[in-house]
């Protein structure tokens, strides 16, 4: 396919469930502006290759699995030695701009004192090494309490930073167990104009205003919601009705208590309000692209880093291989192919990496490889443009995911296989297999049933194949004598 260089806009959300967009017809709230991004294709089986913030985002930057780049857990910093799609875009004439949450750095331990994380405003040159010409970074709502980012500076200039950090501290703490979820849902008290996703929206509108020139631009707009704490301004919370819909998927320990359900009903309401804010910002971006006359010259992609359990299976937050955590909304609007398709084939988060490069006329395999040190040439991401252009119905038969040394997963249209990595007996490896055709809510583990033996073996072979073919890339640090 011969393509002209188009502007590229990648929009991201954080901790966003698939059933909280409406383009696929089963959403829990209307997202009309996000739905517009699905004017070409909306994907309903996009798998986060690692459903945790910094691993997923590092994978998206590099197009590789997190075990390849040393980022399987939210621990440590991504090395700039890895090739990135951003640097490839720069080399091919794109002006690259990043606004919002990046989260490629997680060098400080959990429990670090307030204000003792990364000084991100002092690390602009280091962040630009990943391939940005310009960057305005927001660490993330909870992360602003430790890191000093551009949004922290925005609050600091108004004398609000310490009050905001105190607000975060009283808003609740992270847990993966639904019965222990303690976020308060207190509305953001510092004015709508200071709400982080609205500030990010303002910055994105400004970037489009300034970026509409002769040089094609790539713009990453990375929102921090609907990640906890559940803190929409009261004016947005009031737009969402309070509902008590007891449709939580039961977990291994049975149903949730009534007290926990009532708490989660309130969190659901705030979660929807945060998504409404983001959808409103997406609408502002469409309006600005139309005003500048460049909507038809711009490819827009949308994805989340991971989902949110929100009480399903007795869990909250992410890190789970279950659908609400690991399957994320993804959509593409390419002005040359506005066919409004919905695609149920398995795709991976990093397939958007390859798609971005393909849109720019860049070979993803070549751009994300280097021939030394070893194993940088193993690039598993695949472009979704053949699906967008109507040339193919799928680009892969199964997707892979992994998380924090806890589990690995294979997902096809029919099967979900999960191998636990937390075990002491090599002869008793914990495994799960779900027949998604018969059990879409992942309630019945059939791994021990003889009629599913062949399916289990099919999944195991593909898990082994992924790991065998994608070893960790080697890195270097020592100087080399110049000729």
């Amino acid at each position: 396919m011969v393509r002209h260089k188009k502007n590229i806009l990648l929009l991201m959300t954080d901790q966003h469930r698939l059933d909280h967009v409406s383009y696929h017809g089963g959403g829990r709230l209307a997202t009309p502006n996000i739905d517009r991004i699905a004017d070409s294709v909306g994907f309903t089986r996009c798998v986060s290759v690692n459903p945790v913030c910094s691993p997923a985002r590092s994978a998206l930057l590099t197009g590789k699995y997190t075990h390849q780049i040393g980022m399987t857990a939210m621990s440590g910093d991504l090395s700039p030695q890895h090739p990135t799609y951003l640097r490839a875009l720069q080399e091919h004439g794109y002006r690259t701009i990043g606004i919002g949450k990046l989260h490629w750095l997680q060098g400080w331990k959990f429990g670090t004192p307030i204000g003792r994380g990364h000084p991100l405003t002092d690390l602009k040159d280091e962040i630009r090494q990943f391939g940005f010409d310009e960057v305005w970074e927001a660490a993330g709502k909870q992360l602003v309490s430790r890191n000093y980012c551009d949004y922290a500076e925005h609050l600091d200039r108004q004398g609000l930073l310490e009050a905001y950090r105190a607000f975060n501290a009283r808003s609740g703490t992270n847990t993966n167990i639904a019965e222990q979820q303690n976020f308060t849902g207190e509305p953001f008290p510092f004015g709508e104009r200071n709400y982080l996703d609205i500030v990010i929206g303002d910055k994105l509108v400004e970037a489009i205003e300034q970026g509409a020139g002769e040089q094609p631009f790539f713009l990453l707009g990375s929102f921090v919601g609907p990640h906890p704490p559940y803190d929409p301004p009261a004016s947005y919370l009031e737009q969402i009705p309070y509902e008590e819909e007891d449709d939580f998927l039961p977990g291994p320990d049975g149903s949730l208590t009534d007290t926990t359900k009532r708490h989660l009903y309130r969190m659901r309401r705030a979660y929807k309000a945060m998504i409404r804010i983001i959808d409103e910002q997406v609408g502002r971006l469409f309006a600005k692209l139309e005003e500048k006359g460049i909507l038809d010259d711009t490819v827009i992609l949308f994805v989340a880093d991971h989902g949110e359990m929100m009480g399903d299976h007795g869990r909250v937050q992410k890190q789970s291989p279950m659908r609400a955590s690991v399957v994320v909304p993804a959509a593409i609007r390419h002005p040359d192919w506005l066919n409004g398709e919905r695609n149920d084939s398995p795709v991976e988060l990093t397939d958007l990496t390859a798609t971005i490069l393909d849109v720019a006329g860049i070979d993803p395999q070549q751009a994300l490889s280097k021939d030394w040190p070893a194993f940088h040439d193993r690039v598993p991401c695949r472009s979704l443009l053949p699906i967008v252009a109507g040339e193919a119905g799928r680009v892969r038969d199964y997707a892979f995911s992994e998380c924090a040394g806890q589990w690995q997963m294979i997902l096809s249209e029919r099967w979900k296989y999960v191998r636990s990595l937390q075990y002491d007996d090599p002869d008793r490896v914990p495994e799960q297999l779900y027949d998604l055709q018969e059990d879409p809510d992942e309630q019945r583990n059939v791994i021990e049933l003889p009629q599913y033996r062949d399916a289990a073996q099919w999944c195991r072979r593909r898990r082994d194949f992924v790991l065998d073919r994608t070893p960790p890339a080697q890195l270097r640090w020592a100087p080399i004598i110049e000729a």
Side-chain angles (χ1 to χ4, degrees), residues 226-482:
H227 191 289
Y230 299 90
D231 64 345
S235 59
Y236 283 91
L237 188 62
E238 290 164 0
Q239 298 176 32
I240 305 296
Y242 173 80
E243 298 174 323
E244 295 191 352
E245 187 174 358
D246 187 357
D247 57 356
F248 301 101
L249 297 178
D253 299 324
S255 299
L256 303 173
T257 64
D258 289 341
T259 298
T260 296
K261 289 176 184 177
R262 285 192 293 271
H263 179 74
L264 290 173
Y265 295 144
R266 292 194 299 110
M267 298 304 101
R268 280 179 168 183
R269 182 188 184 203
Y271 187 78
K272 291 177 181 178
M274 291 190 288
I275 294 170
R276 176 160 291 185
I277 292 170
I278 294 169
D279 192 72
E280 185 178 278
Q281 307 315 304
V282 175
R284 294 175 64 198
L285 300 179
F286 269 106
K288 179 57 67 172
L289 291 169
E290 290 171 330
E291 175 192 317
K292 302 300 290 185
I294 57 174
L295 179 61
D296 289 341
D297 296 316
T298 303
V299 176
I300 308 174
L301 305 94
F302 176 84
V303 77
D305 55 356
H306 53 77
E308 158 66 61
M309 293 300 291
M310 193 64 78
D312 285 343
H313 303 280
R315 296 176 63 88
V316 289
Q317 295 271 50
K318 53 261 191 179
Q319 293 181 279
S320 168
M322 310 313 278
R323 179 182 60 206
S325 165
V326 79
V327 177
V328 297
I332 298 173
R333 186 189 191 279
H334 194 300
D336 293 348
W337 296 290
L338 300 177
N339 302 315
E341 300 289 338
R342 300 296 170 259
N343 187 280
D344 296 329
S345 71
V347 302
E348 294 178 349
L349 172 69
T350 48
D351 292 339
L352 276 80
T353 313
T355 307
I356 289 166
L357 292 171
D358 200 4
V359 165
I362 303 169
D363 182 341
Q365 298 293 314
Q366 184 175 5
L368 298 174
S369 294
K370 56 184 180 182
D371 61 3
W372 190 263
F375 308 128
H376 284 274
D377 60 346
R378 308 295 176 89
V379 183
C381 61
R382 302 179 184 180
S383 173
L384 300 173
L385 268 193
I387 296 176
V388 173
E391 298 172 356
R394 63 177 63 239
V395 298
R396 59 175 74 244
D397 294 325
Y398 59 90
F400 173 82
S401 185
E402 61 191 330
C403 188
Q406 298 174 6
W407 52 263
Q408 294 159 343
M409 185 197 82
I410 292 292
L411 177 72
S412 71
E413 286 191 45
R414 179 162 185 183
W415 309 113
K416 171 176 282 189
Y417 167 79
V418 183
R419 177 186 173 96
S420 173
L421 306 181
Q422 305 288 311
Y423 61 93
D424 299 317
D425 184 346
D427 295 317
R428 298 177 62 85
V429 179
E431 297 174 294
Q432 301 168 55
L433 179 69
Y434 298 97
D435 183 345
L436 301 178
Q437 180 175 292
E438 302 297 327
D439 177 27
D441 290 333
E442 304 167 342
Q443 293 291 296
R444 185 174 179 235
N445 180 12
V446 298
I447 193 73
E448 300 292 345
L449 299 183
Q451 62 266 40
Y452 288 100
R453 186 176 295 118
D454 289 346
Q457 284 295 95
W458 184 91
C459 293
R460 291 186 188 110
R461 288 194 299 270
R462 278 141 188 85
R463 174 257 184 193
D464 292 347
F465 180 79
V466 168
L467 296 175
D468 289 347
R469 298 297 299 164
T470 55
Q474 308 297 284
L475 302 178
R476 58 174 297 273
W477 66 266
I480 296 173
I481 298 171
E482 300 290 341

